[in-house]
Amino acid sequence: MSEQTPTLLVLGTGGTIAGSTASATGGSYCAGELSLESMLGDVAMLGLEAELVAKPIAQIGSQDMGWEVWDALHKEISAAQNDPEIDGILVTHGTDTAEETAYLLDLTLAARKPVVLVGAMRPAGAVGADGMRNFANAVRVASDPEASGRGPLLVMGDMVFAAKDVRKSATSNIDAFKGYPRGPIARVTPSSLDWFGGATRTGEPARFDWPGELPRVAILHAGAGMDESCVNALLGIGCKGIVLAGMGQGNAPRCVLDALSRAVKDGVPVVRSSRVDEGLVDRNVEVDDEAYGFIAARALGPAKARILLMVLIANGVSDAGDIQAAFDRG
């Protein structure tokens, strides 16, 4: 990091932080409607101690996030990591899939310069809009030398979360994010930043190569009374892997588990995660993973389990033991 005013690359993808609303008290708004240049024009009035270099990537709600934007983000961040003129990278992002983007980047980037994702729960113009405060907080984090060596981070609600831990846990609350199994790793305001521990990944290389594409992996949400037809449907559309968002400790009706086991025998890896918000999914507790051939997701929820399984398959990892070891690491 430079000793002078830091230079931060700002990659814009849209989301609520770039959203607009016709009514300050209304509930509806359009995500990703404001351009990155317009948003940074408002940011300029905050007097932040950083030089911001804007690079628009997309103007979408993050429900539409996918391969093309991910690929562009990865290329831009990788180039910035190697650019001596750039001290850190900010990514403005919608909150619905921020945890997935953060974790995908975490798996495929070296832990070097700060990479900070930031969003908002309320659009610009709404009463109590949080976007500018979150952005100011993100600038403070990305400008701090101690943010290096931690992998991608997400800043929301005056808290800093590691990509591996963060998840969205509420639909519309300002404090919609939390970390599991760890909580936040720092507290931040526009004028202060307090880390709860030191960086543990300094100099760590990327765990996996960035793939040329990502395979189709589906999340199957378990529910009472379901049958094996949904498993057959997913296999019928060419899924290369399946993540079960199971009941409790990753459970499902016996007929569904049997159908998933047949998929494993046909070369389709199956990961058991939980539809419950917190808790580990351990091996061989209620479900005999050894007999069925399943992988236990451990601390990863369904969304992140899908990301990891896609990256593993894309990198040619097919052995069940190796896949389980990757999930054990998280």
Side-chain angles (χ1 to χ4, degrees), residues 2 22 29 41 75 83 98 116 170 178 252 285 294 321:
S2 64
Y29 66 94
K75 288 177 180 176
D83 185 345
V116 180
K178 62 182 178 181
V285 178
F294 299 153

Side-chain angles (χ1 to χ4, degrees), residues 13-16 61-65 70 73 91-106 116-121 152-156 161-168 177 303-304 307:
T13 69
T16 300
S62 69
Q63 70 275 7
D64 291 321
M65 187 62 60
W70 280 335
L73 277 177
V91 179
T92 62
H93 200 291
T95 59
D96 283 349
T97 60
E99 65 190 86
E100 289 156 89
T101 297
Y103 188 52
L104 177 61
L105 295 174
D106 191 48
V116 180
L117 279 71
V118 62
M121 295 304 298
L153 306 169
L154 185 134
V155 172
M156 288 287 296
F161 299 93
K164 180 177 174 180
D165 303 322
V166 71
R167 60 177 64 177
K168 189 174 183 180
F177 285 82
K304 285 205 185 81
I307 293 293

Side-chain angles (χ1 to χ4, degrees), residues 59-79:
Q59 281 186 244
I60 58 174
S62 69
Q63 70 275 7
D64 291 321
M65 187 62 60
W67 172 252
E68 289 187 5
V69 179
W70 280 335
D71 192 42
L73 277 177
H74 194 274
K75 288 177 180 176
E76 293 292 343
I77 294 172
S78 296

Side-chain angles (χ1 to χ4, degrees), residues 41-316:
D42 294 334
V43 168
M45 295 185 291
L46 301 178
L48 303 178
E49 296 180 359
E51 180 181 348
L52 305 179
V53 179
K55 182 74 181 256
I57 300 295
Q59 281 186 244
I60 58 174
S62 69
Q63 70 275 7
D64 291 321
M65 187 62 60
W67 172 252
E68 289 187 5
V69 179
W70 280 335
D71 192 42
L73 277 177
H74 194 274
K75 288 177 180 176
E76 293 292 343
I77 294 172
S78 296
Q81 294 275 33
N82 293 314
D83 185 345
E85 300 300 316
I86 299 297
D87 295 301
I89 301 98
L90 291 176
V91 179
T92 62
H93 200 291
T95 59
D96 283 349
T97 60
E99 65 190 86
E100 289 156 89
T101 297
Y103 188 52
L104 177 61
L105 295 174
D106 191 48
L107 293 171
T108 55
L109 288 172
R112 296 171 58 197
K113 296 177 184 177
V115 178
V116 180
L117 279 71
V118 62
M121 295 304 298
R122 296 171 184 165
V127 173
D130 57 326
M132 288 299 99
R133 182 180 180 90
N134 287 341
F135 191 91
N137 288 346
V139 168
R140 178 161 290 276
V141 173
S143 301
D144 187 0
E146 290 191 45
S148 299
R150 298 177 186 268
L153 306 169
L154 185 134
V155 172
M156 288 287 296
D158 288 359
M159 295 296 175
V160 183
F161 299 93
K164 180 177 174 180
D165 303 322
V166 71
R167 60 177 64 177
K168 189 174 183 180
S169 60
T171 58
S172 56
N173 299 0
I174 287 292
D175 57 345
F177 285 82
K178 62 182 178 181
Y180 184 83
R182 297 182 298 173
I185 62 172
R187 182 182 184 277
V188 60
T189 72
S191 60
S192 65
L193 174 58
D194 296 291
W195 297 101
F196 302 154
T200 60
R201 298 178 54 191
T202 302
E204 185 178 290
R207 284 177 62 183
F208 300 101
D209 292 334
W210 184 251
E213 61 180 357
L214 289 172
R216 175 175 287 176
V217 172
I219 298 174
L220 175 62
H221 194 96
M226 68 187 298
D227 61 26
E228 67 274 17
S229 59
C230 52
V231 178
N232 298 332
L234 293 179
L235 297 174
I237 61 172
C239 286
K240 303 302 182 184
I242 296 175
V243 173
L244 174 67
M247 310 160 183
Q249 265 239 13
N251 216 333
R254 180 61 58 84
C255 62
V256 174
L257 296 179
D258 289 342
L260 290 171
S261 186
R262 290 192 292 272
V264 171
K265 291 181 173 65
D266 289 335
V268 177
V270 172
V271 175
R272 291 189 308 106
S273 65
S274 178
R275 68 185 194 183
V276 178
D277 192 41
E278 289 188 3
L280 298 177
V281 174
D282 290 314
R283 288 186 62 79
N284 304 315
V285 178
E286 287 189 80
V287 176
D288 189 342
D289 292 304
E290 298 296 334
Y292 281 115
F294 299 153
I295 310 301
R298 302 288 288 148
L300 296 182
K304 285 205 185 81
R306 174 175 173 264
I307 293 293
L308 179 53
L309 186 56
M310 287 195 295
V311 170
L312 288 166
I313 294 171
N315 276 266

